[in-house]
Amino acid sequence: FYHMDLYGSKERFDIFPEEPSGQGDRSRGDTRRESALNSEKFQCSQEAGYDLEKEVAELAKMYGLDEDREKELELLGGRLEMVESRWPPARTDKAGSQGSLYNASKSSSPMKDQSQSTKQQRLPVKASQDEDQGKVRAEDEAENHTRSREGLSSGGTSDEWSSQAVSEEEEVADVFCCTCKTPIRAFDKLFGEHKDHEVAQLPRAVESEKEEIHKNMCKLEEQIAQMENFASHLEEIFITVEENFGRQEQNFEVHYNNAVQVLAQKYEEQLEALGEEKRQKLEALYGQLVSCGEHLDTCKELTDTTQELYLENDKANFMKVKSFNYNFVSYNYRLEEFLKREVDLELATLPDFEERVIDFSEVEQLMNSINTIPAPCAPVINPQAPNAATGTSLRVCWGLFSDDTVECYQLRYKPVSNERDSDEQAEHTLKVKETYCTITNLLPNTQYEFWVSALNASGISPPSERAVYVTAPSPPTIKSKKIRSCENAALVCWESRDINPVDSYTVELSKLTDEENGDIITESIVGIPNCEVLIHLQPTQSYRICVRALNLGGSSERSEPVLIHTTGTYFCLNEDTAHPLLAILDDGFTVACDELENPECDLPVYDNSFTRCIGILGSLIPFPGKHYWEVEVEEDTEYRIGVAFENTPRHGYLGANNSSWCMRHIITPSRHKYEFLHSGMTPDIRITIPPRRIGILLDYENCRLSFFNADIAQHLYAFKSHFQHYVHPCFALETPGILRIHTGIAIPPWTAL
């Protein structure tokens, strides 16, 4: 098997020339021509071998492997001479031609294969390995040449050589040329046209190309998404252009109609003023004309009378009557008086009308406003954002999805009410420049309805859609007197200060540390639907607990904190169960009875209070495990202390029924008597040392209720009963006196003895 890669030029195709057309057999001239060609190829192969050796030397020198390559080339040269010595010299006959061809192939093949092996080892990484591989390959090539020669001598043909050449030609590519972007063989990197190109491993190149294609696909998808968004934006712009055109057209029409109305109004006003001026002129001229006519009539009458008197020729007649002299004198006086009167010969008014200047400023303003800005479109108010509310404030945001010019916004709001007169709720209006506003002085946990309009010089926009916002709740109030706790749990109760219900509550726990004397949030319990929660805690720790209320508007401020200690069991006294004669002092854990009246009195009582026994129940102890508390008593006080179910009869005595267990102290004339009552039964037990401080241990798991003399650590008695329900501590006085209750006490170790 021989590589045909050395014949990469066009001369490669002349090794096995085609037969001339029209000749069935090969002539002697053809044989000679083939022998000549084979001889020429042998010389070329020798020259190629020489060049190949030089090329390998240069590569070895470039990569710093001169010594190793010299040894390898010496070995290959020796193998080459050994193989050539086995072949006869070239002959002119057919067999000789074939022998020359094989010699040429053999002389060049070891150098080529060694170079190819060098490339396949990625241009020497380990020199010693390349040397060993070169030796092994040289020996294999020599054996292959020998077998090939034997095969030819036994009748091999040129068809076998052709099949070997084709198989070499079909050798798969194993590297990738990064310069030409095409797969090539490692041999082409060493001796081909890709000699100076950058190459990479084919799998790595495939992965790199896949990554590049993936990146390009991602970029293409991004471009597609961008183009789709841009197309959607273009559609929106088309719609906006149509809407803006409609608004602008309507704006033009409104402004032009307003201008025409103003002009018509101005025309009517000027025409009316002009008519009024005409009327006044005509009235003045008419009055002057009437006065002039009257004056002319008087003058004409006097003229006629004077003329008649003046033309009288009969002097006797003129003077015959003396009385006439009087008439004449009177007439003459009248005439003189008339002539003394001034005659007004000037026109009362001029015929010219006053030049009137029409004020077109309003019309100009309307005309100018057409070419400025239209009234804005309606804004879009945003839904309420998380944490945008407090108990007394709200932050409202909106937007204007157009290019309209806006000078300010008008925000209006009112409380939301489910009543029928909700429309009559007081509305508030604010003007703001920005697209957000923080409204203060609001009610906690209350819904408000908001809507906004945009304003500019051309007018006001339609109002936006109405949005409902809700303020955060008020901080809850923890009922510190109703908190119950034990060594590993606490039951916390609180009440809401809001009229409207809230969605949930969050309890925050802070463990107090001695080092910092501060609080660190260690746990938050969220999603509490009711106003109480049972919290699991760690023993012998101190916790600060706060509560927050939550709704759609956000979280309220923290409530006033309460301090809880897990050193023992804490409970409080239930005032609703107290007998009317029993008083609870200010500390909340001391009960007293000062009255000497009959316990069966007629004082008003509550539905849940005791009526016969002057007693009171403590709050429920809803925690499994052990619970311990102590009661400080006076020696001359008669009392009952113990536990009872919630449904214990209020009209009976503690210990006289099957729902209560108690220790009773009574004073007889002979001694102090102690009874441990349940269902009215008591064992016969004598206590020699009257206890002043009684310890009570409730053990739910072991179904025991134990009593101790805490002063001397003495066990007094223990009830063994299966408590089907959680119980309440109970206390009662049968004579005036005081009981002091102590809670939060760690269970003494001597109780386990």
Side-chain angles (χ1 to χ4, degrees):
F1 184 77
Y2 292 91
H3 292 284
M4 303 300 294
D5 298 315
L6 293 177
Y7 305 97
S9 63
K10 64 181 181 179
E11 297 175 352
R12 170 182 178 180
F13 302 100
D14 297 331
I15 295 177
F16 302 107
E18 298 180 357
E19 294 181 359
S21 60
Q23 294 183 2
D25 299 327
R26 184 175 294 182
S27 62
R28 183 178 298 273
D30 295 334
T31 304
R32 291 177 180 177
R33 184 167 57 86
E34 182 179 358
S35 299
L37 289 174
N38 291 336
S39 177
E40 182 179 356
K41 294 305 174 184
F42 178 75
Q43 295 178 1
C44 292
S45 65
Q46 289 181 343
E47 293 178 1
Y50 174 79
D51 294 339
L52 181 62
E53 180 179 351
K54 183 179 180 181
E55 187 72 13
V56 172
E58 291 179 357
L59 289 175
K61 183 178 181 180
M62 182 184 302
Y63 289 97
L65 300 175
D66 297 341
E67 298 179 357
D68 297 336
R69 287 303 175 187
E70 288 178 359
K71 295 178 181 180
E72 187 175 353
L73 290 175
E74 291 177 0
L75 177 63
L76 292 177
R79 292 293 182 183
L80 185 62
E81 292 176 358
M82 179 182 67
V83 173
E84 288 178 351
S85 63
R86 297 178 183 179
W87 289 83
R91 295 177 299 180
T92 57
D93 56 355
K94 183 175 181 180
S97 300
Q98 292 176 353
S100 299
L101 176 61
Y102 295 143
N103 286 332
S105 301
K106 188 181 75 172
S107 64
S108 59
S109 295
M111 298 299 294
K112 177 182 73 67
D113 292 341
Q114 181 63 30
S115 300
Q116 186 174 1
S117 174
T118 304
K119 178 59 180 175
Q120 290 176 352
Q121 294 296 328
R122 303 300 300 166
L123 282 175
V125 178
K126 297 181 180 179
S128 61
Q129 294 180 0
D130 292 344
E131 183 177 354
D132 296 338
Q133 291 176 0
K135 294 178 180 180
V136 174
R137 289 183 180 180
E139 294 175 357
D140 294 341
E141 290 294 337
E143 293 178 0
N144 291 335
H145 284 306
T146 304
R147 293 174 182 175
S148 299
R149 186 185 63 180
E150 293 175 354
L152 288 174
S153 62
S154 62
T157 61
S158 62
D159 293 338
E160 296 177 356
W161 282 96
S162 177
S163 63
Q164 293 176 356
V166 171
S167 64
E168 280 295 321
E169 186 67 22
E170 294 178 353
E171 183 178 357
V172 295
D174 51 1
V175 295
F176 181 77
C177 179
C178 300
T179 304
C180 300
K181 301 295 182 181
T182 181
I184 61 173
R185 296 175 299 174
F187 181 80
D188 295 336
K189 166 62 181 173
L190 289 176
F191 312 107
E193 59 181 353
H194 304 280
K195 174 181 177 182
D196 298 329
H197 294 177
E198 181 182 358
V199 298
Q201 290 288 344
L202 190 59
R204 185 180 302 174
V206 171
E207 293 297 329
S208 176
E209 290 298 324
K210 287 183 178 180
E211 291 179 0
E212 192 69 24
I213 292 174
H214 179 69
K215 292 179 180 178
N216 293 333
M217 287 295 295
C218 294
K219 293 180 180 179
L220 184 61
E221 291 177 356
E222 292 179 359
Q223 290 185 1
I224 292 174
Q226 292 177 357
M227 293 304 297
E228 290 178 351
N229 295 334
F230 183 69
S232 301
H233 182 63
L234 287 178
E235 294 178 359
E236 295 177 356
I237 293 299
F238 271 105
I239 297 174
T240 304
V241 168
E242 292 292 340
E243 293 177 352
N244 291 340
F245 171 76
R247 290 202 307 270
Q248 197 72 7
E249 182 181 15
Q250 184 179 3
N251 182 48
F252 285 163
E253 183 178 356
V254 170
H255 281 75
Y256 277 116
N257 290 337
N258 292 338
V260 171
Q261 290 179 2
V262 170
L263 288 174
Q265 183 179 359
K266 294 289 184 182
Y267 171 76
E268 294 294 337
E269 292 176 356
Q270 294 295 332
L271 187 60
E272 183 179 357
L274 188 63
E276 181 65 20
E277 185 179 2
K278 172 186 174 184
R279 185 185 62 78
Q280 293 176 359
K281 286 181 177 293
L282 292 180
E283 288 181 355
L285 291 174
Y286 179 74
Q288 194 173 18
L289 182 61
V290 170
S291 177
C292 183
E294 293 177 351
H295 190 78
L296 287 175
D297 291 342
T298 303
C299 290
K300 186 177 180 180
E301 180 184 357
L302 293 174
T303 300
D304 293 342
T305 304
T306 302
Q307 187 175 4
E308 289 179 358
L309 293 175
Y310 185 78
L311 293 178
E312 182 64 36
N313 294 325
D314 190 357
K315 296 180 180 179
N317 292 331
F318 185 80
M319 298 297 294
K320 68 179 180 179
V321 182
K322 292 184 178 180
S323 59
F324 184 81
N325 187 23
Y326 169 80
N327 292 335
F328 179 78
V329 174
S330 299
Y331 176 78
N332 192 26
Y333 176 78
R334 178 186 174 192
L335 183 60
E336 289 177 359
E337 290 294 330
F338 178 78
L339 293 176
K340 290 179 180 180
R341 188 183 304 172
E342 293 182 1
V343 179
D344 187 9
L345 299 180
E346 294 182 1
L347 294 175
T349 182
L350 296 177
D352 298 333
F353 285 85
E354 180 182 358
E355 293 185 3
R356 298 184 178 275
V357 179
I358 302 177
D359 184 12
F360 289 102
S361 60
E362 186 176 357
V363 178
E364 291 178 357
Q365 183 178 0
L366 289 173
M367 296 300 294
N368 292 334
S369 64
I370 297 177
N371 299 323
T372 55
I373 55 174
C377 61
V380 177
I381 195 164
N382 299 339
Q384 183 172 359
N387 301 322
T390 65
T392 58
S393 66
L394 283 170
R395 180 181 174 89
V396 183
C397 302
W398 59 89
L400 188 68
F401 298 95
S402 65
D403 297 331
D404 297 337
T405 302
V406 177
E407 296 180 358
C408 64
Y409 295 93
Q410 179 176 285
L411 179 64
R412 306 178 70 182
Y413 67 95
K414 68 176 183 178
V416 176
S417 176
N418 296 327
E419 299 177 358
R420 296 182 179 179
D421 57 346
S422 60
D423 296 336
E424 300 179 1
Q425 293 284 344
E427 294 184 359
H428 304 272
T429 304
L430 296 174
K431 284 191 176 182
V432 293
K433 294 288 187 181
E434 296 81 8
T435 57
Y436 60 88
C437 181
T438 300
I439 300 94
T440 58
N441 299 325
L442 302 178
L443 298 176
N445 197 28
T446 303
Q447 291 183 341
Y448 288 87
E449 193 174 33
F450 291 88
W451 64 99
V452 63
S453 300
L455 292 87
N456 60 14
S458 299
I460 184 171
S461 72
S464 66
E465 295 290 335
R466 301 196 177 194
V468 176
Y469 281 51
V470 58
T471 54
S474 301
T477 302
I478 298 178
K479 300 178 181 179
S480 57
K481 293 184 178 181
K482 294 187 177 182
I483 293 178
R484 287 154 283 176
S485 64
C486 63
E487 292 184 350
N488 52 19
L491 182 63
V492 183
C493 303
W494 60 87
E495 62 181 359
S496 175
R497 295 166 50 188
D498 299 316
I499 300 176
N500 299 324
V502 299
D503 295 341
S504 64
Y505 296 93
T506 298
V507 175
E508 298 178 353
L509 287 76
S510 304
K511 182 188 296 184
L512 300 183
T513 58
D514 296 335
E515 294 82 3
E516 300 180 0
N517 195 19
D519 55 339
I520 303 174
I521 298 298
T522 58
E523 184 179 0
S524 293
I525 305 174
V526 300
I528 303 172
N530 302 321
C531 291
E532 66 176 23
V533 63
L534 180 63
I535 309 171
H536 295 280
L537 305 174
Q538 297 177 359
T540 66
Q541 299 291 335
S542 296
Y543 293 89
R544 191 183 303 274
I545 295 181
C546 301
V547 182
R548 295 178 184 265
L550 289 87
N551 63 4
L552 293 176
S555 173
S556 70
E557 299 294 331
R558 290 182 182 177
S559 65
E560 291 294 330
V562 294
L563 191 62
I564 294 180
H565 302 282
T566 57
T567 55
T569 300
Y570 287 86
F571 59 85
C572 57
L573 299 178
N574 190 351
E575 298 181 4
D576 295 339
T577 63
H579 189 276
L581 296 179
L582 195 66
I584 302 176
L585 301 188
D586 294 338
D587 62 357
F589 292 95
T590 302
V591 295
C593 178
D594 297 332
E595 299 289 339
L596 299 177
E597 298 180 5
N598 190 338
E600 298 182 2
C601 60
D602 297 331
L603 295 176
V605 295
Y606 298 100
D607 294 338
N608 199 30
S609 61
F610 286 93
T611 59
R612 178 174 297 180
C613 178
I614 307 177
I616 188 172
L617 294 181
S619 56
L620 186 71
I621 301 179
F623 314 112
K626 297 180 180 181
H627 306 279
Y628 179 82
W629 65 94
E630 293 180 353
V631 181
E632 187 178 348
V633 299
E634 296 177 352
E635 188 176 354
D636 57 348
T637 302
E638 296 182 358
Y639 53 84
R640 296 175 188 238
I641 57 176
V643 297
F645 287 140
E646 172 68 29
N647 59 353
T648 188
R650 302 296 193 264
H651 58 277
Y653 290 96
L654 295 175
N657 48 59
N658 60 357
S659 60
S660 59
W661 298 257
C662 69
M663 172 183 174
R664 181 189 183 192
H665 170 242
I666 57 176
I667 301 176
T668 64
S670 59
R671 63 184 176 91
H672 292 272
K673 185 178 181 180
Y674 294 91
E675 298 176 342
F676 296 91
L677 298 171
H678 176 62
S679 299
M681 304 296 292
T682 178
D684 186 12
I685 295 178
R686 291 179 179 270
I687 299 176
T688 58
I689 303 176
R692 300 294 301 272
R693 192 179 183 97
I694 302 172
I696 303 175
L697 178 62
L698 173 64
D699 190 349
Y700 280 119
E701 295 179 355
N702 295 320
C703 305
R704 292 174 63 91
L705 177 65
S706 303
F707 295 87
F708 300 89
N709 186 343
D711 293 332
I712 60 175
Q714 180 186 13
H715 179 261
L716 301 178
Y717 182 76
F719 290 100
K720 292 185 179 180
S721 176
H722 178 68
F723 299 105
Q724 298 178 354
H725 309 284
Y726 291 121
V727 297
H728 296 255
C730 59
F731 313 90
L733 287 170
E734 297 186 354
T735 60
I738 294 177
L739 297 177
R740 293 182 177 88
I741 305 164
H742 301 276
T743 61
I745 303 173
I747 300 176
W750 42 262
T751 59
L753 298 179

